[in-house]
Every structure is written in C-alpha cells, then in structure tokens.
Amino acid sequence: MGVTVAIDCMGGDHGPSVTVPAALAFLRSHTDARVVLVGQPDVLGPAVGDAAARFGERLRIRPASQVVGMDEAPAVAMKNKKDSSMRVAINLVKEGEAQAAVSAGNTGALMAISRFVLKTLPGIDRPAIATVLPSMKGRVYVLDLGANVDCSAEHLLQFGIMGAQLVAAVEHVDRPRVGLLNIGEEEIKGNEVVREAFGLLRASDLNFCGNVEDIYRGSADVVVCDGFVGNVALKTTEGLAQMLTAILKQEFTRNPLAKLMALVALPVLKAFKKRVDHRRYNGAALLGLRGVVVKSHGSADAYAFEQAIHRAAEAAANRLIERIGERMANLAHEETA
Amino acid sequence: MGVTVAIDCMGGDHGPSVTVPAALAFLRSHTDARVVLVGQPDVLGPAVGDAAARFGERLRIRPASQVVGMDEAPAVAMKNKKDSSMRVAINLVKEGEAQAAVSAGNTGALMAISRFVLKTLPGIDRPAIATVLPSMKGRVYVLDLGANVDCSAEHLLQFGIMGAQLVAAVEHVDRPRVGLLNIGEEEIKGNEVVREAFGLLRASDLNFCGNVEDIYRGSADVVVCDGFVGNVALKTTEGLAQMLTAILKQEFTRNPLAKLMALVALPVLKAFKKRVDHRRYNGAALLGLRGVVVKSHGSADAYAFEQAIHRAAEAAANRLIERIGERMANLAHEETA
C-alpha cells in the first residue's frame, strides 16, 4: 500500500527488543510498506542488524536522543523532551515524511505531543482514543477510552462520527452501526449528557442503532461513551479476562490428572486462546488529529506491536484523516445551511 | 439464625416455578430460618404442595392479588399495585413480620417501593445497589450498580460506608478495604467528583486503599463508583463472560475430535464453570434503607434465587441495618463535634 509508518522504537515496557522485531515482521508481510525506526542509533543499529541491507530503503533509522519515561508527566515530556523518539516520530507525520506514527509509550504524553504537533481537525474539540475489541458477531470499536473524562453530548456525537469513519476506513463497512453506551436500552435511560447525546446521534446522519448495554453482544460496530466510562469498561474487560484465564489455568494444573486432561485438550485450548488473544486487538487509534497516531499497549510483545503497526498503516492507506475531515466539513456546512 | 425472609414469589422471569423451589431449598439448608411466600394463593398453594406440612410454621403464605410487571414504570407500580407481591413483601419488613425481603422483579419498582415504604436511614441521601463478584483473591463488593446515575463525592463516601458495613456483616471482615473505582491509581486521576471523593474517603475512618482500576484484582473488598459506571462495569462483565463461555463451547464442539476432548476434560471444565458461576453471586443488596431488601437477577434459576435468599438472611442475621445506622450516627456526631 506504499505507506510509511514512523515507529517510536524506544517507547513501551520493552523498547527496541520488541519494537524492532515487530517492525521487521511488518515489513516482511507488507511488501510495499516502509518504516522509519526512531530512537537512539547505538541501540537501534544492533537491533536491526542485517535487516538494514535486506529491506533497503524500505527501512530507515531516524536518530532521536531522548526517551519519554512511562511515568513522566505529559507537560514535562512536552517541554523537556523535544528530541524524544516519540516527538520525532510525530514530527515525521507532521512533515509528511510518514503517514502514520506508532508508539507503545506513555499515553498521556503521546496524546499531548500529538495534539500539540499535529493539531486537531476542524470541528473536533477533543481527540479521542478508540480501540477494537472482539464481539459475539465480529468486532466492535469503542471510544473514548480515557482521553476525556468529562464529555458533553456534542463530544459524544463527534466520537460517533470519528468512530464511524474509522470503521469505514479499516473494516470497509459502508454505514457502520453506531451505538451509545448506556445502562438500559430505553431512550430515557442514563444521565443528562447521555440522554442529550441520544438526541444528537439520532438526529445525525449516522447509522445510529440506539443505546447499547453490552458492547460484546455485537449489536453495534462502534460504541461511544465518555472516557471515564470507556476506560472502566476496558479495564474491567482486561481484569476479568485475566482472572478467567488464571482460573482456567489453575483448574487444568490442579493435579496430575487435570494436567493430563489439559494435554489432551491442548489443541482446543490453543484455538480458544487464539480467538480471544488480546494481542490481536492491540493498537488504539488517537482520533481527531491531523495525522494517524496509534498507541500500542505498553506491555505489548512483538506480535502485538506488529498488529498496532498494521492498524496504523491500514488507517493511513485508507485515508482515515481525510474521511474524518470531509465528514466534519459536511457537518459544519449543514449546520450553517 | 431465626430470621424470617419475605419472598416476592411472583417476580422475575419465571415466578413461582423458580421462587418456591428456591424457598423450600433454603428452608432445608437453614433449619432455624422461616419464610413468608408472598403471592397469589391459587398459584402458590399447588407450587408448595406437601412442603407446607413438612415445614410447619417455618413456611407461611401471605396472599397478594397483584403482580408488578417486569417492564412496568416504577411510578405506575407504586400507585396502582398496592396489593402486589412485591409491595406486600416489603410491607412485611416494615411491619417487623420479616427481617428481610427478596424479589427477582423489576429493579426500578423494587427500589421505588422499598424507598417509599421503608425510608432511608438517617444521613443516607440515596440508597445504592451492591453486588458481590468473584475476584482474584476471593470476593469483591461493588456499589452503586445503577440506582444513581449522577453522584456527588458525598454519595460515594456514603457508598463506601454502606459497603464496608455490608462486608463486615456478611463476610465477617473487620476493617474491609474500600477502593474508589478510577481510571488510574494516582490521586489526580479521574473527573472532579471522583477526585473530591478520594479526599473524603481518605479523610474518613474507613480503611481506604485508594483508587482501583481493576475490580477483579482483589486489591479491595469494596469498590465504590457512581451507578452509571458501576452498571457499565457489571454489564461489561456479564457480556464478556457470556462471550468467552460461548467461544469456549464453540471450540469444544467444533468437530468430533474436539467433542471427545471436551468429554475427557469434562471434570476440569465443570470445576472451572463452578468457580466462575454467576449464579453463586446472585443477590444484590439495596443499601441505605431501614430494612434488608435483596434483588435477585430476573432470570435467576432456583439455585441462583436460593443464593439471594441466603444473602438476605445473612445480612439480617448479622444486623446490617443497625450497623449502617450506627455508623451514620457516629459520622453525624463527628461532624457536629
């Protein structure tokens, strides 16, 4: 697809030991894509090794002397880390040298730097974070996941527009169904902001399918909610999945007989694990910016990080930013007409 | 323990076909407890059958001519259903004929009627709904789960006090750890209400353990949140658990070989299922009222409904209402001192 992805190789819990192999795997499976590895050359050089020659100009290294810490305050990272791998990767998108950036670093710093460097699209008040999750009927995109802890009804409408364009771009769904996360299916449910958002979404030209109580049921392609609620839903999901996995493992290792049963059932357990593997869903999009930025989980391994790179490349190749921009311009036009 | 539980036998998706067998099972396992079955005698009589003689005065039937519909508006149920099984069961608690009431009926109507008939305890602005869930380290109680969609910091503090007393009463934990559901562990995280609640909880004499991101990790015995957020966390839990169970089942029935493996692994799968069985956790307490009221899931089967009756009896036997009342009185005393 001919897209260039800038990769913050120093971010995340594991840094280049994960990001570099992921980038190389991505290049192998996407033969017309290019990557720019951003980070400290003395670390990246050895990590890349022979691959530099193999991929030729499809792989470049862009030096960046600093690293944003995982717990660093966003304001401090903004002010003091102007040559960080994160900042330089975002700069490459701004300057048009790359069409997307990926980082497993500090979410707050990534959002702050992206917003400062790239700016938001016209009509977007606040960028949002969107991720994809498995559902009973395929996949569901949820936003916001924590960028905005106090949202107005208009923000939720904007999330709906951005989420619908994301699904249209990367899943090739024509009119994605947009749902509003709520505590009941009836229109009168929820707090004031949510009830007002219901009205705005229904009046919009989105394919609004009403309130959604259970994001996993698959009744919507996009589910919008404020960042506090979305983050709780995501953390609840991660926590419950971890607990269930741990209990299943405990039961299958409780005694020698159970271990034998696990051995027998291994192919099925593996198939189950693969289907619900959260690594496949790694890569949250920062939406509403004038450029594609994807946030990987900090603890991602190379397979998971590769999914995030793939997601960023898909979004860029399918003109996500232009789609959202056009849609917001139409909305402004309708409102003034 | 000598407690009498009033049971709304007509509520829930299944009515007496579930509630009556559950009540009988409860009487069998709690040999000093009593129940009052509330509902239409022509339906309850045959459902009870011979058991009436067997349990003697431990089992009574209290006639109630009406039934609150599962989708009926709470205000309508309040006004027009003064002889409903739900209302009569709550009345029995009010009049001291029973120490607790259990219903699988319409949550909104149960909350409205309970609040109207029983009234709230001094110092409690709003009753809350609390449920118990499994955690990595045992059990965790979460409130509010939907009674209050817009909470102040003071409400969250009250939830903390009520939740701690609930755990003290039914789990016999001396100083339960109380956590605040938030989107990060740092004190500065979250929206304004949550940040203010953090300060109130820390200043209180509760065993406050700070922000909790993942209710399943087991870092707290009680997790407080507003009803919108709590309801989303609960529905996300239910939805994800259903999805994972469905996928596990699909994989174990995909082909004859997989089915054979399932058969081999059956004891382990059963042990797993038992440990995560949501029916064991059925029975949410309506806290802050001058009487014990427990809400069962509408779709509960007899086993699940029996757990809800058991939970109600435990709370009453362990003086839950008195404990919350004393604690609120102390709080008022401290504030005026």
Side-chain angles (χ1 to χ4, degrees):
Chain A
M1 48 195 159
V3 168
T4 302
V5 183
I7 299 173
D8 165 13
C9 287
M10 310 303 288
D13 298 346
H14 310 298
S17 68
V18 153
T19 57
V20 171
L24 301 179
F26 169 76
L27 285 177
R28 278 192 292 274
S29 59
H30 295 73
T31 51
D32 56 352
R34 289 180 294 273
V35 300
V36 184
L37 306 181
V38 186
Q40 294 164 336
D42 55 332
V43 181
L44 295 188
V48 172
D50 298 342
R54 180 173 163 199
F55 292 112
E57 64 171 14
R58 290 177 59 216
L59 184 159
R60 283 182 296 142
I61 293 179
R62 173 66 63 110
S65 61
Q66 297 173 304
V67 178
V68 173
M70 290 304 272
D71 294 319
E72 200 161 334
V76 175
M78 284 272 283
K79 201 176 157 211
N80 300 339
K81 298 278 177 82
K82 287 185 181 151
D83 196 40
S84 67
S85 53
M86 186 185 279
R87 179 80 170 249
V88 172
I90 304 287
N91 284 342
L92 290 174
V93 175
K94 168 78 177 172
E95 294 151 9
E97 285 193 52
Q99 284 76 55
V102 181
S103 174
N106 180 332
T107 310
L110 184 64
M111 181 56 97
I113 292 172
S114 300
R115 203 170 168 174
F116 178 78
V117 172
L118 298 173
K119 314 295 178 206
T120 52
L121 285 162
I124 300 292
D125 297 326
R126 300 169 172 195
I129 303 177
T131 200
V132 56
L133 294 165
S135 86
M136 289 286 252
K137 292 176 184 161
R139 294 168 156 215
V140 57
Y141 286 74
V142 183
L143 71 161
D144 174 48
L145 292 174
N148 309 285
V149 293
D150 276 306
C151 291
S152 69
E154 285 74 22
H155 295 140
L156 294 172
L157 172 63
Q158 292 171 16
F159 297 168
I161 294 170
M162 296 193 291
Q165 292 304 324
L166 176 64
V167 174
V170 303
E171 301 279 347
H172 314 293
V173 172
D174 235 10
R175 302 233 323 129
R177 295 160 304 161
V178 177
L180 177 64
L181 190 59
N182 205 338
I183 61 171
E185 290 183 356
E186 308 84 357
E187 183 177 345
I188 54 143
K189 287 282 184 175
N191 55 32
E192 213 172 296
V193 170
V194 168
R195 285 198 304 269
E196 197 188 330
F198 189 101
L200 292 180
L201 285 160
R202 190 173 50 187
S204 76
D205 67 354
L206 290 169
N207 183 7
F208 179 55
C209 60
N211 288 328
V212 167
E213 279 191 279
D214 169 7
I215 53 182
Y216 294 103
R217 198 182 299 164
S219 55
D221 301 302
V222 177
V223 174
V224 298
C225 55
D226 91 38
F228 191 95
V229 169
N231 199 281
V232 166
L234 187 68
K235 299 269 172 67
T236 300
T237 294
E238 292 173 351
L240 179 64
Q242 270 174 26
M243 184 178 76
L244 294 178
T245 310
I247 293 176
L248 195 60
K249 200 172 169 179
Q250 276 172 16
E251 290 301 331
F252 268 119
T253 52
R254 185 175 288 283
N255 54 48
L257 186 63
K259 283 182 193 168
L260 191 67
M261 290 174 188
L263 208 63
V264 172
L266 201 60
V268 174
L269 292 174
K270 272 194 175 163
F272 170 71
K273 201 176 161 189
K274 192 176 168 193
R275 275 183 69 183
V276 298
D277 188 354
H278 61 87
R279 300 181 309 156
R280 285 174 67 196
Y281 300 93
N282 186 42
L286 271 52
L287 294 179
L289 300 163
R290 296 174 193 248
V292 174
V293 180
V294 167
K295 165 74 175 78
S296 158
H297 221 288
S299 65
D301 64 10
Y303 173 77
F305 196 77
E306 186 191 344
Q307 307 309 309
I309 305 174
H310 168 69
R311 207 143 271 150
E314 271 285 304
N318 291 290
R319 303 175 52 255
L320 173 64
I321 307 305
E322 294 76 5
R323 283 170 187 256
I324 296 177
E326 285 159 18
R327 190 59 202 74
M328 291 309 298
N330 285 345
L331 188 73
H333 181 73
E334 283 160 26
E335 275 171 2
T336 55
Chain B
M1 52 196 157
V3 169
T4 302
V5 183
I7 299 174
D8 164 13
C9 287
M10 311 303 288
D13 298 346
H14 310 298
S17 69
V18 153
T19 55
V20 172
L24 301 180
F26 169 76
L27 285 178
R28 276 192 293 274
S29 59
H30 295 73
T31 50
D32 57 352
R34 290 179 295 271
V35 300
V36 183
L37 306 181
V38 185
Q40 295 164 336
D42 55 331
V43 182
L44 296 188
V48 172
D50 300 342
R54 179 173 163 198
F55 292 113
E57 63 170 13
R58 289 177 57 216
L59 186 159
R60 281 183 297 142
I61 294 180
R62 172 66 62 111
S65 62
Q66 296 174 303
V67 178
V68 173
M70 289 304 272
D71 294 321
E72 199 161 335
V76 175
M78 284 271 285
K79 203 177 155 207
N80 301 338
K81 299 275 177 83
K82 288 184 182 154
D83 196 40
S84 67
S85 53
M86 186 185 279
R87 179 80 170 250
V88 172
I90 305 287
N91 284 342
L92 290 174
V93 175
K94 168 79 178 169
E95 294 151 9
E97 286 194 50
Q99 284 75 56
V102 181
S103 175
N106 178 333
T107 310
L110 184 64
M111 181 55 99
I113 292 171
S114 300
R115 202 170 167 173
F116 178 78
V117 172
L118 298 173
K119 314 295 178 208
T120 52
L121 285 163
I124 299 291
D125 297 325
R126 301 170 172 193
I129 303 177
T131 200
V132 56
L133 293 164
S135 86
M136 289 286 249
K137 291 177 186 159
R139 294 168 156 215
V140 57
Y141 286 74
V142 183
L143 71 162
D144 175 48
L145 292 173
N148 309 286
V149 293
D150 276 307
C151 290
S152 69
E154 284 76 21
H155 295 141
L156 294 172
L157 172 63
Q158 291 171 16
F159 296 170
I161 294 169
M162 296 193 290
Q165 293 305 324
L166 176 64
V167 173
V170 303
E171 301 279 348
H172 313 291
V173 173
D174 233 10
R175 302 227 331 125
R177 297 159 303 161
V178 177
L180 177 64
L181 190 59
N182 204 339
I183 62 171
E185 290 183 357
E186 308 85 355
E187 183 176 344
I188 55 144
K189 287 282 183 176
N191 55 34
E192 213 172 295
V193 169
V194 168
R195 285 199 303 269
E196 198 189 329
F198 189 100
L200 292 180
L201 285 161
R202 191 173 47 187
S204 76
D205 67 355
L206 290 169
N207 184 6
F208 180 55
C209 60
N211 288 328
V212 167
E213 279 191 278
D214 169 5
I215 52 182
Y216 294 103
R217 199 180 300 162
S219 55
D221 301 302
V222 177
V223 175
V224 298
C225 55
D226 92 37
F228 193 95
V229 169
N231 199 282
V232 165
L234 188 68
K235 300 270 172 67
T236 298
T237 293
E238 292 173 351
L240 180 64
Q242 270 174 26
M243 184 178 77
L244 293 178
T245 311
I247 293 177
L248 195 60
K249 198 171 170 182
Q250 275 172 17
E251 291 301 332
F252 268 118
T253 53
R254 184 175 286 284
N255 54 49
L257 187 63
K259 284 182 193 168
L260 191 67
M261 289 173 187
L263 208 62
V264 172
L266 202 61
V268 175
L269 293 175
K270 273 193 173 163
F272 170 71
K273 202 175 159 190
K274 192 175 167 190
R275 275 182 69 182
V276 298
D277 188 352
H278 61 87
R279 300 180 308 155
R280 284 174 66 196
Y281 300 94
N282 186 42
L286 272 50
L287 294 178
L289 300 163
R290 296 174 193 248
V292 173
V293 180
V294 167
K295 165 74 176 80
S296 158
H297 220 290
S299 64
D301 63 10
Y303 173 77
F305 195 77
E306 186 192 343
Q307 307 309 308
I309 304 173
H310 168 69
R311 206 143 271 150
E314 271 285 304
N318 291 290
R319 303 175 53 254
L320 173 63
I321 307 304
E322 293 76 7
R323 283 170 187 257
I324 297 177
E326 285 159 17
R327 190 59 202 75
M328 292 308 298
N330 285 345
L331 188 72
H333 181 74
E334 284 160 24
E335 274 170 3
T336 54

